[in-house]
Amino acid sequence: GAVVSQHPSRVICKSGTSVKIECRSLDFQATTMFWYRQFPKQSLMLMATSNEGSKATYEQGVEKDKFLINHASLTLSTLTVTSAHPEDSSFYICSARDPKVNTEAFFGQGTRLTVV
Amino acid sequence: AQSVTQLGSHVSVSEGALVLLRCNYSSSVPPYLFWYVQYPNQGLQLLLKYTSAATLVKGINGFEAEFKKSETSFHLTKPSAHMSDAAEYFCAVSEASASKIIFGSGTRLSIRP
């Protein structure tokens, strides 16, 4: 199947700083990417849908000014957590859909963010 | 709006026993349905998917699921559990080929020796 690479896999940052997470589709072009957040022992909660070349669509309750999403190319979407707080500590996972295999989404390996 | 409900947050079976993980869905249009597995601190791996073709779907690692429209169910089964099957399992639904995927709350599968 197609490969989605997420970087970094783990990051620790100080409160008040910003951190960027990258999601790349390595062998296909993804017109749509999705960002999820997962708390320990819980399910994946969709944060936003990212469409190449346009503004992301955020789910209800997700602060768009805090979680900045950019999808500047067909193979890269980024999530920036701005002015991070300890409560932003979580596991963030991206996924991308391949238009050629459009019934399936491919997931990155996730990023463990710890804000201290 | 679409949603999935997974019955049972934790299921424990003996090695070699039948695995049954339950999932019911809600969707206003014919759904695409998925089962994913997640190992600790890792991403998701697709086990199988239903996309309006055969109602009995076979996936990887011996898993299969049956789409039952009358029951709005998509339960996951495996005839004989293996220790390596211990993981978190998520049922998910999507309304269209390129739309967002919504996940259930997950079921943790434990395997007893």
Side-chain angles (χ1 to χ4, degrees):
Chain A
V3 178
V4 174
S5 175
Q6 198 172 332
H7 179 80
S9 58
R10 290 178 178 272
V11 59
I12 300 173
C13 70
K14 293 184 178 180
S15 289
T17 62
S18 296
V19 61
K20 180 184 288 187
I21 302 170
E22 292 187 347
C23 180
R24 294 182 184 272
S25 55
L26 296 186
D27 49 4
F28 67 99
Q29 293 185 328
T31 54
T32 305
M33 289 186 175
F34 306 90
W35 287 95
Y36 294 85
R37 181 175 181 176
Q38 185 179 31
F39 290 103
K41 299 188 187 303
Q42 294 189 28
S43 186
L44 284 76
M45 301 302 297
L46 180 66
M47 299 174 67
T49 301
S50 165
N51 293 297
E52 186 267 334
S54 63
K55 289 184 178 180
T57 302
Y58 289 81
E59 295 298 303
Q60 191 173 8
V62 178
E63 298 176 63
K64 60 183 66 176
D65 293 331
K66 180 165 189 60
F67 299 100
L68 300 179
I69 292 173
N70 183 276
H71 193 163
S73 78
L74 286 172
T75 59
L76 174 64
S77 177
T78 61
L79 167 68
T80 301
V81 183
T82 63
S83 187
H85 287 265
E87 56 264 32
D88 298 326
S89 298
S90 191
F91 194 56
Y92 294 87
I93 303 177
C94 71
S95 77
R97 294 191 93 149
D98 181 348
K100 296 189 182 71
V101 189
N102 58 18
T103 57
E104 182 175 344
F106 300 96
F107 286 81
Q109 288 302 101
T111 297
R112 172 72 60 194
L113 170 64
T114 303
V115 184
V116 298
Chain B
Q2 51 188 334
S3 66
V4 288
T5 301
Q6 290 184 242
L7 300 175
S9 59
H10 181 211
V11 171
S12 179
V13 302
S14 298
E15 189 174 18
L18 171 71
V19 175
L20 171 60
L21 304 183
R22 299 178 185 274
C23 173
N24 288 90
Y25 71 90
S26 173
S27 178
S28 57
V29 300
Y32 294 117
L33 293 161
F34 311 86
W35 275 99
Y36 289 90
V37 61
Q38 185 181 36
Y39 296 97
N41 292 312
Q42 294 189 27
L44 300 177
Q45 181 181 15
L46 180 69
L47 284 176
L48 48 81
K49 61 183 177 183
Y50 167 77
T51 58
S52 74
T55 56
L56 181 62
V57 182
K58 293 186 184 298
I60 62 171
N61 301 339
F63 285 95
E64 63 181 39
E66 186 172 8
F67 173 72
K68 292 187 176 181
K69 184 178 178 180
S70 60
E71 299 177 8
T72 60
S73 68
F74 190 58
H75 302 330
L76 180 72
T77 60
K78 181 173 180 177
S80 177
H82 193 272
M83 295 300 291
S84 61
D85 294 327
E88 189 84 18
Y89 291 79
F90 294 98
C91 181
V93 65
S94 173
E95 285 190 344
S97 59
S99 67
K100 58 190 178 185
I101 294 177
I102 302 301
F103 287 84
S105 54
T107 298
R108 181 165 61 91
L109 176 63
S110 300
I111 311 296
R112 301 188 300 271

